[in-house]
Amino acid sequence: MSKLYFGGDYDKDKHKTRTSTGQTTRDGAEAALRTNYQPNYTFDSYGIYAQGEWYIGAESGVFAGIREDYIETTAHRLDKERKQYTTSAFARYEHYLRDSTLYAGLGIADRIPDFWEVSKVDGMYLSKETNTQLDIGLSHQKEGLSANVSGFISYVQDYIC
């Protein structure tokens, strides 16, 4: 038996702020609170993905997927815009035993800087980071008892700090 899934999504993440620095009096603070919020960063994200499941008899299954995102980051106060692509993919093998499942998976995922990272000095120039991860584990379930043991190793390239 095989299954394929396809999809897409869109997300708009808007950050706004208002200036209240230098307000040392009650009147100054109240005046700052009456000012309108102004946009400082906007993230527009468009994503598409595909995922599949393939079963090899009753003993095992293979799962794989890929995702591509296009992200526009706008720094309104700096009058700068940045366009980036990110890619993520995974593959996982499962072997089914009587009451247990053994599995191993490999995944890779890109991540762009988030609001807190881009809002640092020169944050709009930060590169994306890439995480590669290997997962292995065992799940067991029998008569109301459920137990899981898993482990992973991860390597992050171009870590955003």
Side-chain angles (χ1 to χ4, degrees):
M1 180 169 86
S2 299
K3 294 182 183 178
L4 292 174
Y5 305 91
F6 299 95
D9 59 15
Y10 169 74
D11 181 56
K12 184 175 201 80
D13 190 2
K14 298 188 272 187
H15 293 263
K16 295 180 180 181
T17 188
R18 61 181 170 200
T19 304
S20 62
T21 58
Q23 306 301 329
T24 57
T25 66
R26 180 181 174 138
D27 289 341
E30 287 178 2
L33 290 173
R34 286 190 300 272
T35 61
N36 292 329
Y37 281 91
Q38 298 298 318
N40 60 347
Y41 287 93
T42 302
F43 297 83
D44 286 293
S45 176
Y46 307 83
I48 57 170
Y49 67 89
Q51 179 176 326
E53 300 176 6
W54 299 270
Y55 294 94
I56 306 160
E59 298 85 28
S60 57
V62 177
F63 306 83
I66 188 165
R67 178 181 177 92
E68 184 75 19
D69 287 284
Y70 170 73
I71 303 104
E72 293 178 4
T73 304
T74 305
H76 298 281
R77 290 182 172 196
L78 302 173
D79 197 29
K80 292 187 180 179
E81 186 174 89
R82 183 167 186 190
K83 299 174 183 180
Q84 294 175 285
Y85 288 92
T86 61
T87 303
S88 302
F90 78 95
R92 176 176 164 125
Y93 174 77
E94 294 183 353
H95 184 72
Y96 310 118
L97 305 170
R98 189 158 122 174
D99 299 317
S100 302
T101 300
L102 289 166
Y103 64 87
L106 179 65
I108 186 166
D110 291 336
R111 184 182 78 82
I112 66 160
D114 64 19
F115 167 74
W116 300 106
E117 293 158 338
V118 297
S119 61
K120 294 179 183 177
V121 174
D122 292 331
M124 286 292 284
Y125 301 105
L126 289 171
S127 297
K128 62 185 173 185
E129 70 181 28
T130 302
N131 180 39
T132 304
Q133 184 167 312
L134 173 67
D135 297 275
I136 58 170
L138 170 69
S139 295
H140 179 78
Q141 192 164 3
K142 184 175 183 180
E143 299 175 11
L145 173 68
S146 177
N148 296 294
V149 176
S150 63
F152 71 93
I153 186 166
S154 176
Y155 172 70
V156 178
Q157 182 179 344
D158 298 323
Y159 178 70
I160 300 171
C161 54

